[in-house]
Amino acid sequence: MDFNYLNDKDLLYFSKHILLPNIGIEGQQKLSSSEVTVFGLGGIGNLITTYIASAGVKKINIVDFDTVEDSNLQRQINFTNSDIGFHKTDVIDKYLQSRFPNLSVNKFSNKILSTDEVDSITADSDIVLDGTDNFEVRKIINKSCNSNNKKLIIGAVEGYSGQLLTVMSNKSTCYECIYEDLTDNNSCSESGVLAPLVGMISSMMAMECINILTGNNPSYENKLVLVDGLNISINIIKTKKKQNCLICSQPYEKI
Ligand SMILES: [Zn+2]
């Protein structure tokens, strides 16, 4: 981590964070010195990149192979009609640079097919945020993060259901422990999505990310948070590491 000291402008810009007892100047400096990788620039990726950048993170890697389509605009709120057909990475990069001129954005527009690619992209990242809509890709990201001792926050929305969990590598329940049997055939990319629920899950992921980066404890470790957008309720299920999990039962070893 390259330590970034705050200048006078930063102190004013981030004053409402600095006033928070669990952030303060020290926490804000940690945020400004952090690197975060965001996989997936759908509804979750749109919002979470904005929140993380506005919170002061200065280095963000964005990963998505897709282009903007008409059906994205309902919930992927940084995209407009004029972005249709363009790569999501290019559009989000342009958007973030226009709002946060001191932000360093690295774009990756290839489809993620292997842990090697994830290893390389996230090599210097303090936290990995997964907002993808594909189970196989989520498993690849989970595997890479557990092999490389990276903290991972996973969020998803399908229909009226939002889900969230945090994986503190090799310590807590991982994605594979919970979703071992899911395959690409279960992809949620073709399902309906309640747009504001995406905002809620994104905000919860951003809060978790900011809390962890500023040295506070994770809230969703060993928990599966289920948000019901129809009845507007939150259910938290305690989870346990699977003893024979293919990914996290072998600590700190490349699989
Ligand atoms: Zn596991």
Side-chain angles (χ1 to χ4, degrees):
M1 183 188 280
D2 298 325
F3 199 82
N4 287 327
Y5 288 95
L6 303 175
N7 58 35
D8 288 346
K9 199 175 169 189
D10 291 334
L11 291 172
L12 190 61
Y13 189 104
F14 298 115
S15 57
K16 295 295 183 187
H17 262 170
I18 290 168
L19 284 168
L20 293 172
N22 285 37
I23 295 184
I25 288 182
E26 192 185 338
Q28 191 57 50
Q29 280 175 336
K30 284 180 184 166
L31 284 171
S32 299
S33 308
S34 299
E35 177 181 310
V36 172
T37 296
V38 178
F39 286 94
L41 296 176
I44 287 175
N46 263 254
L47 274 159
I48 210 156
T49 49
T50 311
Y51 268 128
I52 296 307
S54 69
V57 172
K58 293 285 194 293
K59 288 183 184 172
I60 301 182
N61 305 315
I62 53 174
V63 191
D64 200 307
F65 71 95
D66 225 344
T67 53
V68 181
E69 299 174 16
D70 290 288
S71 64
N72 298 152
L73 304 186
Q74 161 252 21
R75 67 201 174 281
Q76 301 179 20
I77 62 170
N78 294 340
F79 298 145
T80 64
N81 277 314
S82 60
D83 297 323
I84 303 291
F86 289 96
H87 269 289
K88 291 183 176 181
T89 46
D90 290 333
V91 178
I92 292 294
D93 178 35
K94 196 173 160 190
Y95 172 79
L96 292 174
Q97 300 290 357
S98 70
R99 287 199 58 185
F100 313 104
N102 297 322
L103 176 68
S104 166
V105 179
N106 286 314
K107 298 180 282 184
F108 300 90
S109 306
N110 296 334
K111 197 167 189 170
I112 294 297
L113 299 171
S114 73
T115 50
D116 287 346
E117 291 165 296
V118 179
D119 294 352
S120 165
I121 294 167
T122 62
D124 296 319
S125 294
D126 299 289
I127 288 198
V128 176
L129 300 170
D130 183 353
T132 60
D133 62 1
N134 180 289
F135 295 111
E136 291 303 324
V137 174
R138 278 192 215 145
K139 286 186 173 190
I140 291 170
I141 295 167
N142 177 64
K143 187 174 176 181
S144 167
C145 288
N146 272 278
S147 297
N148 295 299
N149 200 22
K150 298 284 178 191
K151 301 172 183 81
L152 170 65
I153 304 169
I154 304 164
V157 179
E158 181 181 13
Y160 285 104
S161 171
Q163 297 189 0
L164 197 64
L165 78 147
T166 297
V167 183
M168 303 296 275
S169 292
N170 298 295
K171 267 181 67 201
S172 46
T173 316
C174 84
Y175 188 76
E176 190 83 23
C177 289
I178 300 174
Y179 294 114
E180 184 187 3
D181 298 332
L182 286 178
T183 66
D184 195 25
N185 295 330
N186 309 107
S187 171
C188 59
S189 59
E190 302 303 320
S191 307
V193 180
L194 182 68
L197 183 55
V198 175
M200 188 168 174
I201 294 295
S202 309
S203 297
M204 292 173 81
M205 290 174 76
M207 282 189 282
E208 179 83 328
C209 181
I210 290 167
N211 285 344
I212 294 172
L213 288 175
T214 51
N216 296 290
N217 291 325
S219 297
Y220 316 134
E221 186 186 13
N222 291 322
K223 289 171 192 163
L224 181 62
V225 182
L226 301 171
V227 182
D228 179 342
L230 189 57
N231 298 304
I232 314 186
S233 61
I234 298 177
N235 188 18
I236 299 175
I237 299 169
K238 284 191 178 178
T239 59
K240 274 188 179 172
K241 260 171 94 84
K242 214 172 166 184
Q243 274 192 333
N244 58 348
C245 176
L246 285 173
I247 302 303
C248 69
S249 60
Q250 303 288 329
Y252 301 103
E253 284 179 20
K254 284 254 181 186
I255 299 162

